[in-house]
């Protein structure tokens, strides 16, 4: 895998949006025991590469897309490229090309939950926040059961 790593535009994956991606870019994903690169051109994923760091097993193209994992502790780096550099990258990493490009939104929307506030999250999963009285009642009930 040949890539220039000068001046990356690093982003927290929770802030990653389709609109924030450059026209020609690649995304480096460091997650636990793996590293992955996703090539994006005009909103489409056109290539992918995955490396299992413990076994040093490489995967390319669609197999690499299947193995990409993103966790809360994942590091996402977005690298911007111009048209000429991007074409060179794809040419030099030909084995990573996808036979059919995929929408970049699948990696952004499906893997990342877009929740702008705690209240929206609570409402989405119908979680009720207990009142102070409820908490005190639970504690007193617990203490009374503990005495028996």
């Amino acid at each position: 895998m040949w890539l220039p790593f000068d001046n990356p535009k690093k982003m927290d994956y929770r802030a990653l949006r389709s609109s924030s991606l450059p026209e020609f870019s690649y995304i480096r994903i460091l997650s636990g025991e793996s590293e992955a690169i996703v090539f994006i051109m005009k909103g489409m994923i056109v290539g992918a590469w995955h490396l299992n760091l413990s076994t040093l097993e490489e995967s390319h193209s669609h197999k690499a897309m299947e193995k990409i994992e993103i966790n809360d502790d994942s590091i996402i780096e977005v690298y911007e490229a111009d048209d000429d550099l991007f074409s060179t990258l794809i040419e030099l990493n030909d084995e990573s090309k996808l036979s059919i490009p995929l929408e970049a939104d699948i990696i952004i929307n499906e893997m990342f939950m877009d929740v702008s506030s705690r209240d929206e999250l609570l409402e989405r999963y119908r979680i009720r926040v207990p009142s102070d009285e409820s908490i005190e009642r639970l504690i007193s009930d617990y203490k009374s059961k503990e005495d028996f």
Side-chain angles (χ1 to χ4, degrees):
M1 175 64 53
W2 180 86
L3 296 169
F5 284 106
D6 50 343
N7 299 322
K9 179 181 176 185
K10 291 186 183 181
M11 300 177 74
D12 181 352
Y13 80 87
R14 288 165 287 212
L16 193 60
R17 303 280 180 265
S18 297
S19 61
S20 64
L21 290 174
E23 186 176 15
F24 299 100
S25 61
Y26 56 97
I27 300 174
R28 182 177 181 214
I29 304 164
L30 301 168
S31 182
E33 291 292 317
S34 68
E35 177 179 353
I37 303 289
V38 177
F39 295 97
I40 298 180
M41 178 175 71
K42 298 180 182 176
M44 301 293 284
I45 298 172
V46 295
W49 171 84
H50 180 270
L51 174 67
N52 182 320
L53 297 173
S54 58
T55 64
L56 298 178
E57 178 187 352
E58 282 187 81
S59 301
H60 304 278
S61 191
H62 293 284
K63 288 189 186 255
M65 287 295 296
E66 293 172 4
K67 294 182 179 184
I68 293 174
E69 292 180 22
I70 300 176
N71 307 321
D72 287 338
D73 60 345
S74 297
I75 298 170
I76 305 294
E77 299 173 347
V78 178
Y79 297 82
E80 187 170 358
D82 61 22
D83 186 20
D84 292 334
L85 176 59
F86 192 82
S87 297
T88 303
L89 290 174
I90 292 297
E91 187 177 317
L92 291 173
N93 299 294
D94 188 55
E95 68 280 358
S96 297
K97 276 198 236 180
L98 298 179
S99 57
I100 299 172
L102 304 170
E103 290 282 336
D105 289 341
I106 66 163
I107 198 169
I108 295 169
N109 294 340
E110 291 183 16
M111 293 183 166
F112 312 124
M113 195 165 70
D114 183 19
V115 177
S116 59
S117 73
R118 179 177 183 268
D119 294 333
E120 287 179 21
L121 181 62
L122 294 173
E123 185 178 324
R124 177 180 290 170
Y125 293 103
R126 297 185 180 132
I127 299 171
R128 289 184 328 147
V129 178
S131 65
D132 291 339
E133 293 171 1
S134 298
I135 293 171
E136 288 176 20
R137 189 173 44 246
L138 285 171
I139 292 171
S140 66
D141 288 349
Y142 177 76
K143 286 182 179 180
S144 67
K145 289 180 182 179
E146 197 175 77
D147 292 338
F148 290 110

